[in-house]
Amino acid sequence: MGASPTLISSVQRAFRLLEAASAHQNGAPAKQLARETGLPLATAYHLLRTLVHDGYLRKLDDGAFVLGDRLQTLHSTGSGQALLSRVRPVLAALRDELSSAAYLTFYEDGEIRVAEIVDGPRAPRADLWVGFEDAGHATALGKSVLRELDDEARREYLSRHPLHDLTPRTVTTAATLIRQLETTALAPAVTDLEEYAVGTVCVAVPVRSGHTLGSLGVSMPRDQLSRIDEVRELLLPSAGRVTRSLSLTI
């Protein structure tokens, strides 16, 4: 069922008000915006109140309307999507070459977050039964980030994140985790050997987006453990391509 003509015209009027408000660096009052958009004042007032309520506009103390934080969020999200579109082919190539799901994470606002997962029928993703923000110590992707952090940042992260016991193989003490991170034989790659999910192993390497640290990795069934060296050798140049792509200005 299509949108009604009334709804469509309301959306069009709201966009006209946003465009008019964006043309005034210091904002403009409702009467001026109504005049510039050709809208009845009552209609403009109603739409402006709605746009303010939803965060698309902000009303200043002097009564002027300026663009709100919600639009900045949309812009930032759009920029992030444009960046991710550059690296999805790299993740897809990893998936196809290794028949393994590929993952990209970033360390933002003190949390390790999944930015992208590329999987398929022959390369299913791991069962993300615990969010990555609560499992950085147990995933190769999280441990890759933790390994690259300086001592102070790593201690700060671990002070805020309990090392939950997710499987019988999960490391649950900070000292043991740090020792493993600093002595891994596959450096700069790190592994998760059934520490996050029984039956699943993962390998990850660091990437960067400007000053933002992240990680690139793949997950595999436990019976593919013998391929870890092969996986590492494919991940490293792929991580380089991801970092180069993410360093380009949009």
Side-chain angles (χ1 to χ4, degrees), residues 17-201:
L17 284 169
L18 288 172
E19 290 170 353
S22 70
H24 300 279
Q25 184 174 358
N26 298 316
K31 288 183 179 179
Q32 182 177 353
L33 294 174
R35 185 170 62 252
E36 291 178 358
T37 55
L39 296 176
L41 186 57
T43 301
Y45 269 128
H46 172 71
L47 289 171
L48 288 168
R49 281 197 299 270
T50 301
L51 291 167
V52 168
H53 178 269
D54 290 341
Y56 293 106
L57 287 176
R58 184 162 55 92
K59 189 176 183 180
L60 304 179
D61 292 339
D62 63 2
F65 292 88
V66 296
L67 296 182
D69 294 338
R70 188 76 177 272
L71 283 176
Q72 180 59 44
T73 300
L74 289 175
H75 174 73
S76 299
T77 302
S79 297
Q81 290 175 344
L83 278 175
L84 288 176
S85 70
R86 295 176 175 174
V87 300
R88 286 191 188 102
V90 179
L91 273 66
L94 276 174
R95 175 200 62 195
D96 295 343
E97 180 76 16
L98 297 170
S99 296
S100 303
Y103 309 76
L104 181 67
T105 74
F106 292 116
Y107 185 60
E108 298 174 313
D109 302 322
E111 301 294 346
I112 300 166
R113 296 177 175 138
V114 177
E116 188 64 87
I117 302 175
V118 176
D119 57 1
R122 292 186 297 174
R125 68 182 64 188
D127 179 13
L128 304 182
W129 68 286
V130 175
F132 271 58
E133 293 184 9
D134 296 316
H137 65 294
T139 64
L141 291 152
K143 291 195 290 182
S144 176
V145 170
L146 292 175
R147 185 180 183 277
E148 298 299 314
L149 292 177
D150 61 38
D151 290 341
E152 181 180 354
R154 189 189 296 159
R155 283 196 301 270
E156 195 277 332
Y157 176 90
L158 294 174
S159 73
R160 294 184 289 106
H161 295 82
L163 306 189
H164 297 296
D165 185 7
L166 303 182
T167 78
R169 302 198 62 164
T170 306
V171 174
T172 56
T173 62
T176 301
L177 176 64
I178 292 170
R179 184 168 62 252
Q180 287 188 0
L181 294 176
E182 293 178 344
T183 59
T184 175
L186 294 174
V190 296
T191 59
D192 148 25
L193 306 179
E194 298 185 273
E195 295 156 54
Y196 175 75
V198 173
T200 299
V201 298

